[in-house]
Amino acid sequence: MEIIRKLQDMQSRAVDMHQQGKTIAFVPTMGFLHKGHLSLMREGRKRGDILVVSIFVNPAQFGPNEDFDKYPKSFEQDADAAKKEGVDILFNPCKEELYPERYQTYVNVEKLQNYLCGVSRPLHFRGVATVVTKLFNIVKADAAIFGEKDYQQLVVIRQMALDLNLDIEIKGCPIVREPDGVAMSSRNSYLSEKDRKSAVCLYQALNEAKKLVKEGVKKSSEIIMTASALIRSYPGTEIDYISIFDPETLEEIESVEELSRMAMAVRLGETRLIDNILIDPRKKGSRA
């Protein structure tokens, strides 16, 4: 596995690979890799001749009171894990190259960034769209793979690629969960023992919502009220939002009549966790 840190070196390698007729699959990450990331790499391995994984903690997507300075890092372990998954290039750029002095250009996906997580994190998706656009241009990927845990991020990036006429396939992959159902996340490492026990409430609330729809409950407010009560029954929880929405527009819906998504953000102590589930009222059950 090759480790590249310079933007120009990565661009040159990408041009060389395309000239050789090879396709590039790309998995952007912020590092501190877990099994969810590794599942994206396995999907990427199927979608290109060359697999590139980036590790970059993007300052542009963190608000002033968020966890940029303490975001967990483990480059040596990450490099070892990536190598074992057959990654060809590990791209680890530095902040000073991606955001040099006097940097001033940002990408806004005007509507989609204002729902769900975008309400309490107003600059987050501007930062995500900007860094992903830059990475796409540097890596010159033919396909990019993202996890569905960050569902709004996936929708934002798909829209951005469409609107900017980017010649790249955006692939979403299912959420990977711990044995108790908690969605895998680098931020799980922040949780105290007590908060980790309470973290199961997100998945339990989503499954309860799915159960209600299966039993014929359609009114979103009723489903959200039940989910909220379940979450609040666990100690140390604070709900940021719970929403049932159209999977493409992210606009909230009053009644679950068609294929829908339910997503939530919940704080446990100082840690903010997100999760979501697909709800299909036309079927007897829906999968996470």
Side-chain angles (χ1 to χ4, degrees):
M1 183 180 72
E2 183 179 2
I3 297 176
I4 297 179
R5 301 186 189 275
K6 290 287 189 180
L7 271 58
Q8 187 174 354
D9 292 344
M10 183 67 248
Q11 287 178 311
S12 296
R13 290 285 287 115
V15 170
D16 289 344
M17 288 183 286
H18 281 306
Q19 287 177 344
Q20 296 170 28
K22 294 180 179 179
T23 56
I24 300 172
F26 178 43
V27 180
T29 83
M30 293 206 300
F32 208 68
L33 303 179
H34 51 68
K35 291 180 181 177
H37 295 114
L38 303 185
S39 73
L40 304 183
M41 295 178 200
R42 291 178 198 126
E43 182 64 30
R45 187 77 276 168
K46 303 173 187 175
R47 291 179 176 272
D49 301 314
I50 302 295
L51 176 58
V52 179
V53 171
S54 66
I55 293 178
F56 178 69
V57 181
N58 176 35
Q61 68 190 66
F62 288 80
N65 298 313
E66 295 182 346
D67 58 341
F68 174 70
D69 290 331
K70 69 173 186 176
Y71 195 85
K73 300 175 180 66
S74 57
F75 184 79
E76 296 302 324
Q77 296 94 314
D78 289 349
D80 184 57
K83 185 176 181 179
K84 288 177 180 176
E85 288 298 329
V87 172
D88 297 295
I89 296 173
L90 188 62
F91 180 41
N92 181 220
C94 68
K95 180 179 69 174
E96 290 72 22
E97 272 209 283
L98 274 174
Y99 297 106
E101 188 178 358
R102 295 192 298 168
Y103 185 87
Q104 55 191 296
T105 301
Y106 293 89
V107 178
N108 282 295
V109 181
E110 293 291 340
K111 291 184 179 179
L112 293 174
Q113 66 185 14
N114 295 323
Y115 297 103
L116 305 173
C117 290
V119 176
S120 59
R121 305 184 74 189
L123 297 179
H124 175 70
F125 291 105
R126 183 187 80 158
V128 169
T130 298
V131 78
V132 170
T133 300
K134 289 170 69 67
L135 290 170
F136 283 178
N137 286 333
I138 295 162
V139 174
K140 306 185 188 305
D142 299 283
I145 299 89
F146 295 86
E148 290 182 350
K149 183 179 76 69
D150 297 298
Y151 184 77
Q152 184 175 10
Q153 172 180 273
L154 175 62
V155 175
V156 165
I157 290 167
R158 278 181 172 153
Q159 188 67 46
M160 177 199 73
L162 178 67
D163 291 347
L164 298 182
N165 307 109
L166 302 181
D167 188 15
I168 185 170
E169 175 195 6
I170 307 298
K171 169 66 178 175
C173 290
I175 297 170
V176 177
R177 300 184 178 276
E178 302 283 359
D180 61 359
V182 173
M184 288 192 173
S185 169
S186 299
R187 288 188 169 94
N188 289 349
S189 64
Y190 297 159
L191 296 170
S192 66
E193 184 177 351
K194 179 186 74 172
D195 289 337
R196 178 61 184 81
K197 290 179 180 178
S198 292
V200 298
C201 70
L202 283 82
Y203 189 53
Q204 289 183 357
L206 291 168
N207 274 320
E208 182 63 23
K210 185 171 67 173
K211 178 183 173 185
L212 289 173
V213 172
K214 182 179 178 181
E215 291 172 351
V217 178
K218 298 292 182 68
K219 196 171 181 180
S220 295
S221 60
E222 183 176 343
I223 297 167
I224 290 171
M225 183 173 63
T226 301
S228 299
L230 190 156
I231 291 168
R232 293 192 177 105
S233 71
Y234 281 81
T237 57
E238 180 185 348
I239 297 171
D240 182 351
Y241 71 82
I242 301 176
S243 178
I244 299 175
F245 55 92
D246 181 285
E248 293 185 5
T249 68
L250 306 185
E251 294 177 358
E252 290 192 334
I253 57 175
E254 293 184 359
S255 181
V256 182
E257 307 291 343
E258 306 268 340
L259 192 68
S260 309
R261 279 263 172 190
M262 183 174 182
M264 59 182 61
V266 177
R267 292 190 182 278
L268 295 131
E270 296 183 357
T271 306
R272 182 178 180 276
L273 300 182
I274 59 173
D275 205 345
N276 71 86
I277 201 168
L278 180 69
I279 299 177
D280 188 347
R282 302 166 298 182
K283 296 182 179 180
K284 291 184 178 181
S286 304
R287 67 175 183 84

